[in-house]
């Protein structure tokens, strides 16, 4: 595969992911845990089918190869997926996706604390800028569901960071089996917690179908495209290109649903996105050097 095609695939992944907020807004009655269950139900067959196709047979060797780090990464994805669903149901799409973008900084901090990875001076500076952006975003939402949604979004970013660090710890180069495990764990978690809370998984058929379509097409489809493209596009550049999700997700809900957010959200989100972009560019330059 050529570099240009790899870039197209990574950008296409970001485009697919950016439509998830729009799909979330079509779900009217299903709560967080039912949505997590049905989205995982749509996600698992696609990832499993891709792993079977790629292996030319049983996917079990690839799943076994990720071992304990892959399983721990899958558990991190449960937090990431559930936090993302709750945050989008509790606050604006713009608020949620901008806070998801803090994940690279949380990854750097956990990698530094747990694995002893060195954090570049540029990353520390970008973290300071990102914290400023987060403060600007959330200072007006210190009560009620909006603040709970902000916290859930940051927990989602933390879950993705845990996923990334555990794979680094285990030197796992193939992330998709771990994502599949995350889908399986999420399916079970959604069913168990919904049952514990007395909530039903028997949601209206349109809600279940929207959630399954999101899991099968936008989430899994985006991950498959990203995995294929990132084989020829360096990691720092892939991360930068996929940030198109953060920029487009608020645009789609504004264009089609007339959903907007406060000035503070867009100002803080812009500051955070600048920090992420600056950190990604410096990392790409360092990798090239």
């Amino acid at each position: 595969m050529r570099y240009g095609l790899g870039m197209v695939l990574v950008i296409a992944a970001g485009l697919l992911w950016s439509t998830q907020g729009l799909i979330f807004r079509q779900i009217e009655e299903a709560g967080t845990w039912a949505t997590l269950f049905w989205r995982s139900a749509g996600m698992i067959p696609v990832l499993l089918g891709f792993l079977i196709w790629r292996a030319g047979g049983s996917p079990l060797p690839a799943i076994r190869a990720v071992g304990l780090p892959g399983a721990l990464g899958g558990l991190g994805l449960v937090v990431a997926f559930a936090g993302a669903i709750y945050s989008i149901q509790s606050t604006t799409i713009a608020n949620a996706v901008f806070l998801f973008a803090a994940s690279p900084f949380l990854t750097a901090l956990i990698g530094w604390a747990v694995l002893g990875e060195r954090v570049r001076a540029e990353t520390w500076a970008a973290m300071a800028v990102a914290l400023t952006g987060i403060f600007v975003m959330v200072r007006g939402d210190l009560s009620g569901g909006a603040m709970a949604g902000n916290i859930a979004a940051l927990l989602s970013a933390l879950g993705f960071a845990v996923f990334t660090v555990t794979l680094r710890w285990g030197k796992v180069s193939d992330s998709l089996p771990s994502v599949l495990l995350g889908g399986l764990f999420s399916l079970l978690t959604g069913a168990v917690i919904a049952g514990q809370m007395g909530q039903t998984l028997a949601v209206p058929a349109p809600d279940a179908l929207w959630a399954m379509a999101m899991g099968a097409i936008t989430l899994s489809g985006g991950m498959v495209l990203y995995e294929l493209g990132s084989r020829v596009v360096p990691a720092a550049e892939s991360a930068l290109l996929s940030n198109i999700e953060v920029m487009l997700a608020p645009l789609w809900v504004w264009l089609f649903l007339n959903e907007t957010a406060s000035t503070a959200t867009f100002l803080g989100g812009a500051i955070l996105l600048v920090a992420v972009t600056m950190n990604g560019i410096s990392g790409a330059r360092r990798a090239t050097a």
Side-chain angles (χ1 to χ4, degrees), residues 120 122-123 236-237 277-289:
R120 297 177 294 113
E122 297 92 336
T123 298
E237 291 181 37
T277 303
M278 287 171 55
N279 185 59
I281 291 173
S282 67
R285 287 175 176 170
R286 189 180 185 89
T288 302

Side-chain angles (χ1 to χ4, degrees), residues 8-288:
V8 170
L9 292 177
V10 171
I11 291 171
L15 283 169
L16 273 179
W17 290 333
S18 73
T19 63
Q20 290 193 93
L22 194 60
I23 298 175
F24 266 117
R25 290 295 183 256
Q26 312 309 311
I27 298 174
E28 297 181 352
E29 295 184 29
T32 298
W33 304 111
T35 302
L36 179 66
F37 176 88
W38 288 110
R39 190 175 76 160
S40 302
M43 170 186 174
I44 292 167
V46 175
L47 290 178
L48 189 61
F50 178 76
L51 289 174
I52 292 171
W53 170 79
R54 191 179 65 178
S58 173
L60 289 178
I63 296 171
R64 290 196 196 100
V66 300
L68 177 62
L72 292 175
L75 291 174
L77 286 181
V78 175
V79 177
F81 293 157
I85 293 169
Y86 182 85
S87 66
I88 287 175
Q89 291 180 334
S90 304
T91 186
T92 63
I93 299 296
N95 235 55
V97 297
F98 284 139
L99 290 173
F100 297 159
S103 183
F105 300 121
L106 295 173
T107 300
L109 286 173
I110 296 173
W112 170 63
V114 177
L115 304 181
E117 294 179 345
R118 178 177 173 271
V119 179
R120 297 177 294 113
E122 297 92 336
T123 298
W124 285 117
M127 283 184 199
V129 176
L131 283 173
T132 302
I134 291 172
F135 173 75
V136 170
M137 287 177 64
V138 305
R139 64 178 177 174
D141 297 320
L142 298 179
S143 63
M147 191 58 191
N150 291 336
I151 293 171
L154 289 173
L155 284 175
S156 178
L158 178 63
F160 280 115
V162 169
F163 168 73
T164 303
V165 172
T166 53
L167 295 193
R168 285 184 190 170
W169 166 60
K171 296 180 173 57
V172 177
S173 58
D174 183 6
S175 63
L176 283 186
S178 186
V179 176
L180 175 64
L181 291 176
L184 289 168
F185 297 157
S186 295
L187 185 83
L188 294 173
T189 301
V192 170
I193 296 184
Q196 291 285 331
M197 297 180 69
Q199 299 175 3
T200 180
L201 297 177
V203 299
D207 284 6
L209 290 173
W210 277 117
M212 291 180 70
M214 180 166 39
I217 300 171
T218 60
L219 185 57
S220 296
M223 286 181 171
V224 168
L225 291 175
Y226 188 86
E227 194 272 340
L228 291 172
S230 61
R231 293 181 182 180
V232 294
V233 179
E237 291 181 37
S238 295
L240 276 175
L241 290 171
S242 65
N243 275 337
I244 193 171
E245 172 194 4
V246 181
M247 294 182 284
L248 290 181
L251 177 63
W252 299 141
V253 292
W254 173 68
L255 283 175
F256 293 102
L257 303 176
N258 201 31
E259 176 181 311
T260 186
S262 67
T263 302
T265 292
F266 284 112
L267 177 59
I271 294 171
L272 178 57
L273 197 55
V274 165
V276 172
T277 303
M278 287 171 55
N279 185 59
I281 291 173
S282 67
R285 287 175 176 170
R286 189 180 185 89
T288 302

